[in-house]
Amino acid sequence: VKLLRAINAVVHALETTCLLPSLEAEGGGDFSQESVEELFKSLYETEDEDGDGEGDGPVVISTAEVMALRDFLNDEATRPPLSMLVWLRSAAFRLGCQYLDEEHDKAKNVALLRSINVIVHTVENTCMKPKPLVLELPPSHTPDVNTDFASAAQILWNLDSNRLSPHKDYKMDVQSSKHPSHRDDAAHDPLFTYLHRDIFQERPTFDAFRHLLDNYSACTGEEETVSSKELRENRTFLNAVMETAPMKYCHRYCLAKGVEYNGRSIPEDEAGFKKALDSIWFKLYSRSGGCGRRRKMDSSGFEHVFVGEVKNGQVSGFHNWIMFWLEERKGTVDYRGYIKPRSRYSAETNDDDHVLTLQFSWNGVEKFVGTSFIGVSPEFELALYTMAFLAGEDENIVTLDTGGESFDLKVKCHKIDRGSKVGSCYVEALAHYEE
């Protein structure tokens, strides 16, 4: 009973912090505390199999019972008034205590706790709504006109709370190094040996990003078509990343720098900035060339950088680690080994590096050298490359402290379609240091 009271207090704290009521001041005319208590008791009661007047099995609430509870709470006649919201949750716990197993049967009590959670969750879903997310950056992370690109890149790294941890969220086996001109395979096993199965469920931006990766044809020269479903997926992704600190910082950095896009100042409102992002990253253009009717709209900045393309018999773009993991899992990517930075003083490449230069083939087509961030969130890369496109130079030198190691990087950005869209963005690893 003490444990249930403690859980009730924790749930109350979470609700008041993260949720808002969605109930009206006036409830339904047929609502009463007695009817709610009767309904809750019916959900907790189990069958009396031995005829002793008490339920025998563990408490299990069925889907049909959840739907009935939801209908009760939503019905205009029985909908609770706002003043009863806290009482509803407390009643679920108070009545649940009456069904604790007196012989301390752990399995039955755990089942009861799960049932209480089902009732409380249903009450929250029908009678409450999430509080709007308002993300305020600390003063130390607020850019101004004097903030240089290298400092901004480090701040993005520090803000990337969705970044994965090596050996915990994922595992790599970098195996052997090679020279980029050598065609031998220096890695007989896959690069990624493990990725936590809940990564995409727990991180909305990862999930939204994954849904974009099968929307493109890899071969340049083949006209891309964009369905209404794919447009919705683009919007879902942009909405998700704009809720994160890296993209909010990216927006403020571009505003602080006073940059323009298509001859106009970057919009101060988030909706306007998302429209600019959509144009920069998702609007189609021709990469294969041609004029008039022969001009094929076959590419976009997002496709090139994050998905990859095949042009003139070679892999072009394809700089994202999630895409690499997905394709490696399907058997369409063959990792050939890593390539050391050119600096003779660079540290050893190992399985927990967050930057990796590598060689691979994709559907039998070679990528002789490419550099990717490893484990970072989609919003980090989108923010970094958007800043390079809007407020950076063609080449931007950055020293990135990844925690225990530092990388000297060259962030490169090529513009296309009269400078209105990303042609390519990627990093080159110049040096690698252990601290």
Side-chain angles (χ1 to χ4, degrees), residues 157 347 350 352-354 400-407 432-435:
W157 181 269
N350 53 51
D352 59 6
D353 287 352
H354 279 292
L400 197 64
D401 180 0
T402 64
E405 296 181 304
S406 293
F407 293 86
H432 172 203
Y433 311 97
E434 288 185 352
E435 299 176 355

Coordinates of all heavy atoms in Angstrom, one line a residue, residues 157 347 350 352-354 400-407 432-435:
W157 N 27.4 20.1 -31.0 CA 27.8 18.8 -30.5 C 27.4 18.7 -29.0 O 26.8 17.7 -28.6 CB 29.3 18.6 -30.6 CG 29.8 17.3 -30.1 CD1 30.2 17.0 -28.8 CD2 29.8 16.1 -30.8 NE1 30.5 15.7 -28.7 CE2 30.3 15.1 -29.9 CE3 29.5 15.7 -32.1 CZ2 30.5 13.8 -30.3 CZ3 29.7 14.4 -32.5 CH2 30.2 13.4 -31.6
A347 N 45.7 9.8 -33.9 CA 45.5 8.7 -32.9 C 45.0 7.5 -33.7 O 44.5 7.6 -34.8 CB 44.5 9.1 -31.8
N350 N 39.5 3.6 -33.6 CA 38.9 2.5 -32.8 C 37.4 2.5 -32.8 O 36.8 3.3 -33.5 CB 39.4 2.5 -31.3 CG 39.2 3.9 -30.7 OD1 38.1 4.4 -30.7 ND2 40.2 4.5 -30.1
D352 N 35.0 3.2 -30.8 CA 34.2 4.2 -30.2 C 34.4 5.6 -30.8 O 33.9 6.6 -30.3 CB 34.4 4.3 -28.7 CG 35.9 4.6 -28.3 OD1 36.7 4.9 -29.2 OD2 36.2 4.6 -27.1
D353 N 35.1 5.7 -31.9 CA 35.2 7.0 -32.6 C 33.9 7.5 -33.2 O 33.1 6.7 -33.7 CB 36.2 6.9 -33.8 CG 37.6 6.8 -33.3 OD1 37.9 6.9 -32.1 OD2 38.5 6.5 -34.2
H354 N 33.6 8.8 -33.0 CA 32.4 9.4 -33.6 C 32.6 9.9 -35.0 O 31.6 10.5 -35.5 CB 31.9 10.5 -32.6 CG 31.1 10.0 -31.4 ND1 29.9 9.4 -31.6 CD2 31.4 9.9 -30.1 CE1 29.5 9.0 -30.4 NE2 30.4 9.3 -29.5
L400 N 36.7 19.5 -33.3 CA 35.5 19.1 -32.6 C 36.0 18.2 -31.4 O 36.6 17.1 -31.6 CB 34.6 18.3 -33.5 CG 33.1 18.1 -33.0 CD1 32.4 19.4 -32.8 CD2 32.4 17.1 -34.0
D401 N 35.7 18.6 -30.2 CA 35.9 17.8 -29.0 C 34.8 16.9 -28.8 O 33.7 17.3 -28.4 CB 36.2 18.7 -27.8 CG 36.5 18.0 -26.5 OD1 36.5 16.7 -26.6 OD2 36.6 18.6 -25.5
T402 N 35.0 15.6 -29.0 CA 33.9 14.6 -28.8 C 33.9 13.9 -27.5 O 33.1 13.0 -27.3 CB 34.0 13.5 -30.0 OG1 35.2 12.8 -29.8 CG2 33.9 14.2 -31.3
G403 N 34.7 14.4 -26.6 CA 34.8 13.8 -25.3 C 35.9 12.8 -25.2 O 35.7 11.6 -25.5
G404 N 37.1 13.2 -24.8 CA 38.3 12.3 -24.7 C 39.1 12.3 -26.0 O 40.2 11.8 -26.0
E405 N 38.5 12.7 -27.1 CA 39.1 12.7 -28.4 C 38.7 14.0 -29.1 O 37.6 14.5 -28.9 CB 38.8 11.5 -29.2 CG 39.2 10.2 -28.6 CD 38.9 9.0 -29.5 OE1 37.7 8.8 -29.8 OE2 39.8 8.3 -29.9
S406 N 39.6 14.5 -30.0 CA 39.3 15.6 -30.8 C 39.6 15.3 -32.3 O 40.5 14.5 -32.6 CB 40.1 16.8 -30.4 OG 39.7 17.3 -29.1
F407 N 38.8 15.9 -33.2 CA 39.0 15.7 -34.6 C 39.1 17.1 -35.3 O 38.2 18.0 -35.0 CB 37.8 15.0 -35.2 CG 37.6 13.5 -34.7 CD1 37.0 13.2 -33.6 CD2 38.2 12.5 -35.5 CE1 36.8 11.9 -33.2 CE2 38.1 11.2 -35.1 CZ 37.4 10.9 -33.9
H432 N 43.2 13.5 -35.9 CA 42.5 12.8 -34.8 C 43.4 12.7 -33.7 O 44.5 12.2 -33.8 CB 42.0 11.4 -35.3 CG 41.4 10.6 -34.2 ND1 41.4 9.2 -34.3 CD2 40.8 10.9 -33.1 CE1 40.8 8.7 -33.3 NE2 40.5 9.7 -32.5
Y433 N 43.0 13.3 -32.5 CA 43.8 13.3 -31.3 C 43.1 12.7 -30.1 O 41.9 12.8 -30.0 CB 44.2 14.8 -31.0 CG 44.7 15.6 -32.1 CD1 43.8 16.5 -32.8 CD2 46.0 15.6 -32.5 CE1 44.2 17.3 -33.8 CE2 46.4 16.4 -33.5 CZ 45.5 17.2 -34.2 OH 46.0 18.0 -35.3
E434 N 43.9 12.0 -29.3 CA 43.4 11.6 -28.0 C 43.9 12.5 -27.0 O 45.0 12.9 -26.9 CB 43.9 10.1 -27.7 CG 43.2 9.1 -28.6 CD 43.7 7.7 -28.2 OE1 44.6 7.6 -27.3 OE2 43.1 6.7 -28.7
E435 N 43.0 12.9 -26.1 CA 43.3 13.9 -25.0 C 43.8 13.2 -23.8 O 43.5 12.1 -23.5 CB 42.1 14.8 -24.7 CG 41.6 15.5 -26.0 CD 40.3 16.3 -25.7 OE1 39.8 16.2 -24.6 OE2 39.9 17.0 -26.6

